[in-house]
Amino acid sequence: MAAPDRTLNCEDFSMFQEVLKLMRTMDDRIVHALNTTVPTVSFSGKVDATQTCKQLYKSMMEAHLSRDKAIKACITHTSEVVGQLREARAKDGADMAVMKQLRKEQTKLKLMQSELNVEEVVNDRSHKVFNERCRIHYTPPKVK
């Protein structure tokens, strides 16, 4: 259940959000994944819960890392665009097209930064659900 290998479109915020939504599918369905793959006590002999939890954890962490990298790459890209537009504004403060584009890019940058907060909430929820179902089967390594 790996995250789709999609690249984020940093130019169009609505597409950026749409791809993030697809990339978050695993986290949205983690309860279902745990219910269908991690056995209850009565069925524990039929499935290797330790291996199942370990694999699910690995997939979850890969998805979190790929989303984090993608969001931060778009933030970096958009920050660079904002910097270039600020330089252009400094050279010609009367150019309304530059001013309008700068405001647009600044707004997009703030929205992208807020996605990091959303990501933190999504990740925390996934970890909580994972720990509730898998803590007796698998203990993930401590993250530094």
Side-chain angles (χ1 to χ4, degrees), residues 2-142:
D5 188 24
R6 302 276 309 257
T7 54
L8 285 179
N9 179 344
C10 300
E11 303 304 320
D12 180 355
F13 187 73
S14 61
M15 284 302 297
F16 170 85
Q17 281 189 308
E18 194 61 36
V19 173
L20 270 179
K21 182 178 166 188
L22 288 172
M23 291 174 81
R24 288 181 178 139
T25 301
M26 179 193 181
D27 290 271
D28 293 341
R29 297 185 180 153
I30 191 160
V31 172
H32 179 265
L34 285 165
N35 286 340
T36 57
T37 58
V38 178
T40 58
V41 175
S42 59
F43 291 100
S44 60
K46 296 184 174 84
V47 177
D48 183 358
T50 301
Q51 196 57 39
T52 302
C53 285
K54 185 176 182 177
Q55 185 56 47
L56 189 61
Y57 181 79
K58 183 178 180 253
S59 298
M60 186 175 72
M61 293 312 294
E62 287 171 357
H64 292 181
L65 186 63
S66 70
R67 289 195 311 260
D68 188 64
K69 280 174 55 178
I71 293 168
K72 287 178 178 172
C74 279
I75 288 172
T76 300
H77 171 76
T78 306
S79 294
E80 290 168 0
V81 171
V82 167
Q84 292 165 358
L85 288 168
R86 282 187 177 143
E87 288 174 16
R89 181 186 66 183
K91 290 178 186 163
D92 182 10
D95 188 344
M96 291 307 290
V98 170
M99 297 287 281
K100 185 177 179 184
Q101 188 64 27
L102 176 60
R103 279 193 299 274
K104 180 181 171 194
E105 292 296 321
Q106 286 173 326
T107 300
K108 183 169 63 172
L109 180 59
K110 287 176 188 162
L111 291 170
M112 286 178 173
Q113 289 168 333
S114 72
E115 283 299 325
L116 281 177
N117 296 330
V118 172
E119 192 63 19
E120 187 177 342
V121 170
V122 169
N123 292 353
D124 287 347
R125 178 186 162 275
S126 294
H127 281 285
K128 181 177 181 252
V129 170
F130 176 85
N131 287 331
E132 286 172 1
R133 285 299 305 270
C134 281
R135 70 175 168 247
I136 60 173
H137 303 293
Y138 174 72
T139 304
K142 296 287 181 204

